[in-house]
Amino acid sequence: RMETQRKKKNTCGTICLKYLLFLFNICFWLAGGAVLAVGVWTLVDKSDYISLLNSGFYSASAFILIVAGVIVTLTGIIGCCATLNEKRSLLIVYLVLLLCVFLLEITAGVLAYVYQQQLDDELRQNLKLNMQQKYLQPGQESVTLSVDKLQQEFKCCGSHNFSDWRDSEWIRGEGTQQLVPDSCCKTPSSLCGRRDHPSNIYRVEGGCVEKLEDYIRSQLYILGGVGVGIAFLQLVGMMFTCCLCRNLKEDLY
């Protein structure tokens, strides 16, 4: 009789774990979609600015989240099948995939944190250099478009201030009458950069480096937070999976 009660208790425990894990997989599948969306959004929304950074850390973190999101989606499907069918072999595959995604997202979170620490120095060194040496130069169309978009979107002019443009290859090389690019103007129009009066350009609003720093730092916080947050959620899934594997009967393996 005690054996029967113990078996019934194990069966009830297995059923509870089974449905808890199933519900977790639905949430996990939705979370995978969120991770994928954040990764894609990070690359697409401000992809132009990546060309201004001589580093792959920012894009690497986003790519890691995209890969993790795809794996999470597949993992959620495998997890649902494994849970409903009580297949121990599928549960082990599911557990391994959970571990892989866990490591990927922790890596993305750590990369985002590490890069955030060196962000200031990298931006200050590279942004001014890119603006002065590559703007409107042959073969540097992507940098030119990125700089124009940056100055218009963040309402700024130059890396630190508008005077950075005086030493640019574009102005010195072509002998142009322009003092700043047209994208520095509050109302852009052809050759509007010939006047650098505060009423015409973003002169008192400051340079772009601090505004881009703040923007990228906020993006890295999102990347890191999403990656690490969902990684810890997966620990719950791994715990449920281990418990279900242990509780399944031998004849269901």
Side-chain angles (χ1 to χ4, degrees):
R1 185 176 178 179
M2 287 181 65
E3 183 69 20
T4 304
Q5 288 178 340
R6 188 165 62 85
K7 286 182 178 179
K8 182 180 285 188
K9 185 178 179 181
N10 285 341
T11 302
C12 289
T14 301
I15 291 171
C16 287
L17 280 170
K18 176 179 171 180
Y19 286 104
L20 278 172
L21 190 56
F22 182 74
L23 288 173
F24 169 82
N25 273 304
I26 293 175
C27 295
F28 189 55
W29 188 80
L30 293 173
V35 171
L36 183 60
V38 168
V40 171
W41 169 67
T42 301
L43 283 180
V44 172
D45 186 46
K46 303 295 179 185
S47 60
D48 294 333
Y49 301 152
I50 295 175
S51 64
L52 298 176
L53 305 173
N54 295 337
S55 171
F57 274 117
Y58 183 72
S59 52
S61 296
F63 276 121
I64 287 172
L65 282 184
I66 291 172
V67 171
V70 172
I71 296 175
V72 164
T73 304
L74 296 174
T75 301
I77 295 170
I78 292 172
C80 287
C81 294
T83 304
L84 291 176
N85 294 308
E86 297 184 2
K87 297 288 185 181
R88 187 172 181 268
S89 57
L90 274 178
L91 282 171
I92 291 172
V93 171
Y94 172 65
L95 186 60
V96 171
L97 286 173
L98 274 181
L99 183 60
C100 289
V101 177
F102 175 80
L103 294 174
L104 273 174
E105 288 173 344
I106 287 292
T107 302
V110 171
L111 272 177
Y113 177 77
V114 168
Y115 184 50
Q116 188 268 140
Q117 300 299 305
Q118 67 181 60
L119 177 63
D120 291 356
D121 291 338
E122 181 176 308
L123 263 184
R124 291 181 188 279
Q125 288 173 8
N126 296 330
L127 187 60
K128 185 176 181 179
L129 190 69
N130 282 329
M131 283 182 164
Q132 290 184 336
Q133 295 188 0
K134 297 181 180 179
Y135 186 78
L136 281 179
Q137 298 303 300
Q140 301 295 340
E141 290 78 10
S142 64
V143 172
T144 300
L145 288 172
S146 297
V147 169
D148 285 339
K149 183 177 179 181
L150 175 68
Q151 294 189 139
Q152 274 297 297
E153 191 159 326
F154 288 103
K155 295 179 171 50
C156 55
C157 186
S159 177
H160 296 91
N161 55 59
F162 77 101
S163 64
D164 290 337
W165 287 110
R166 292 173 186 167
D167 299 320
S168 69
E169 294 290 332
W170 161 58
I171 287 180
R172 290 189 305 177
E174 295 185 9
T176 178
Q177 293 183 340
Q178 293 209 190
L179 300 174
V180 294
D182 293 337
S183 56
C184 280
C185 299
K186 294 179 178 179
T187 306
S189 61
S190 180
L191 303 179
C192 67
R194 289 181 175 181
R195 291 179 60 245
D196 60 2
H197 192 273
S199 64
N200 185 51
I201 68 167
Y202 295 114
R203 180 167 173 167
V204 297
E205 287 80 0
C208 298
V209 66
E210 291 182 359
K211 296 182 179 182
L212 188 56
E213 277 175 7
D214 291 340
Y215 171 77
I216 294 179
R217 188 174 287 110
S218 69
Q219 298 297 291
L220 290 172
Y221 283 144
I222 293 172
L223 281 174
V226 169
V228 173
I230 294 180
F232 281 107
L233 178 66
Q234 287 162 227
L235 288 175
V236 178
M238 285 188 269
M239 182 184 68
F240 283 155
T241 305
C242 289
C243 291
L244 184 57
C245 280
R246 192 176 62 181
N247 280 277
L248 285 175
K249 297 178 183 179
E250 286 291 336
D251 60 346
L252 289 175
Y253 288 178

